[in-house]
Amino acid sequence: MTLGVTLSSTSRQLPLDTTVELAREARDAGLHSGWFGQTFAYDSPSLAAIVGREVPGLQVGSAALPVFGRHPLLVSSQAQTAQAATGGRYHLGLALGTRHLTETGFGLPYRRPIGLLREFLTALRPLLETGEADFHGELLTATTPYPAAVPGAQPPVPVLVAAMGPQALKVSGELADGILPFLAGPRALADHIVPAVTAAARAAGRPAPRIVALVPGVVTADPEGLRSRAAEALALYERIPSYQRVIELSGAAGAAGLAVLGDEETVAAEVRRYREAGATEVVFTATDLDGEAARSRTWKLLGELSAQEAATG
């Protein structure tokens, strides 16, 4: 299992140079990866390409690009460019997005999301692997009258999906390299998510999928006080049906109940629980929720745990 962090701030958009410095700090702390969310501000693959080029040795990824409002040809170009820029250290995350952001932001109807995800992945994989596509589906078309391969974009960009529901997990197991569940606790992972996506991958003749669990967490001296702040930061997810379901499956009363908060021993124990539940990678989010000192303390611990994982194989 490897450990990483998100390099997006929970409270503000950081200047690009500051983000690069944070990435260097993450790498120097011993962390394996740095991840970037996708909002309507920074373009996540571009940001990952810049940071990955500036910070050798750090894996970088997008978590995650909604498939609505995007096209496989354009996403392939973005992902391959990031892969070439980073020397093969870029990881592409895709997501279904939400009805609210899709319909209000893009003016697109949020219809047949699973069907769109299946077609998007079906068209995208050959683009990333060969630079060519000839896909004609019900919801999208992707063909390459000109080659779409980017020189130096090797190995092919791994594709992960922010999947947690049964249908999305089935499609992801069949067509993606892994998943990026968020707010899915160890119970939900072990009992529902990991078995479903692993079975789908096995049935499709694909390798065991990567399980990259995104977990809000901070090493802090005031876990109870911080939990109320976490509740505010994570409240919006409690209004989204897919997150409502996975929070319930995790046995938590609310999203904040899945935040990993406490001293080093407490946080390390929770990381172990995610590993035992089937996570191949754990990425901590919202580590700046209690200020810079707590964030640095959190990254230090995660770096130490990452070194221990590497030493034990």
Side-chain angles (χ1 to χ4, degrees):
M1 185 184 70
T2 63
L3 293 160
V5 292
T6 56
L7 294 171
S8 304
S9 171
T10 57
S11 57
R12 63 193 185 282
Q13 290 291 337
L14 297 174
L16 182 56
D17 288 345
T18 303
T19 304
V20 170
E21 287 305 313
L22 281 173
R24 289 198 182 101
E25 183 181 337
R27 178 200 59 190
D28 294 346
L31 290 161
H32 179 260
S33 61
W35 295 77
F36 304 91
Q38 180 63 56
T39 63
F40 294 122
Y42 282 124
D43 177 68
S44 179
S46 298
L47 187 57
I50 293 168
V51 170
R53 193 166 182 84
E54 290 287 324
V55 187
L58 186 71
Q59 302 286 318
V60 290
S62 297
L65 304 183
V67 293
F68 282 95
R70 290 171 173 81
H71 190 278
L73 282 167
L74 300 180
V75 171
S76 171
S77 295
Q78 289 179 294
Q80 289 190 72
T81 300
Q83 186 74 324
T86 61
R89 289 178 284 118
Y90 177 67
H91 306 254
L92 172 64
L94 299 175
L96 294 175
T98 67
R99 180 179 300 277
H100 173 70
L101 290 179
T102 299
E103 296 186 347
T104 60
F106 294 116
L108 297 173
Y110 191 76
R111 295 175 185 160
R112 299 183 63 187
I114 300 300
L116 179 60
L117 176 64
R118 179 177 290 280
E119 292 195 7
F120 202 103
L121 289 169
T122 302
L124 180 64
R125 293 308 300 247
L127 285 166
L128 296 176
E129 293 169 1
T130 69
E132 298 180 355
D134 187 16
F135 178 79
H136 302 266
E138 295 182 52
L139 303 173
L140 62 84
T141 294
T143 65
T144 46
Y146 302 102
V150 173
Q154 294 296 329
V157 178
V159 180
L160 309 164
V161 180
M164 295 183 292
Q167 294 183 74
L169 289 169
K170 184 175 187 297
V171 173
S172 300
E174 293 172 356
L175 297 170
D177 298 299
I179 57 171
L180 289 158
F182 176 53
L183 292 179
R187 183 190 300 180
L189 285 176
D191 295 345
H192 301 277
I193 292 174
V194 175
V197 71
T198 301
R202 185 184 302 114
R206 294 186 56 81
R210 291 167 56 189
I211 312 295
V212 185
L214 277 67
V215 181
V218 184
V219 176
T220 177
D222 182 23
E224 293 312 312
L226 188 58
R227 199 166 298 279
S228 62
R229 200 178 308 169
E232 294 178 11
L234 299 171
L236 67 94
Y237 295 100
E238 297 175 353
R239 299 192 292 271
I240 301 171
S242 59
Y243 285 103
Q244 292 172 349
R245 175 181 176 274
V246 79
I247 290 168
E248 182 178 352
L249 291 175
S250 299
L258 293 166
V260 176
L261 308 173
D263 60 16
E264 282 82 356
E265 183 177 352
T266 299
V267 172
E270 287 299 304
V271 169
R272 287 193 294 272
R273 288 186 66 217
Y274 277 90
R275 178 184 60 193
E276 292 163 0
T280 60
E281 300 154 66
V282 173
V283 175
F284 265 44
T285 73
T287 56
D288 64 341
L289 198 59
D290 197 27
E292 289 300 293
R295 179 192 60 75
S296 296
R297 184 179 170 189
T298 304
W299 288 18
K300 179 176 183 294
L301 171 68
L302 295 176
E304 292 170 352
L305 294 176
S306 186
Q308 292 172 16
E309 291 283 347
T312 58

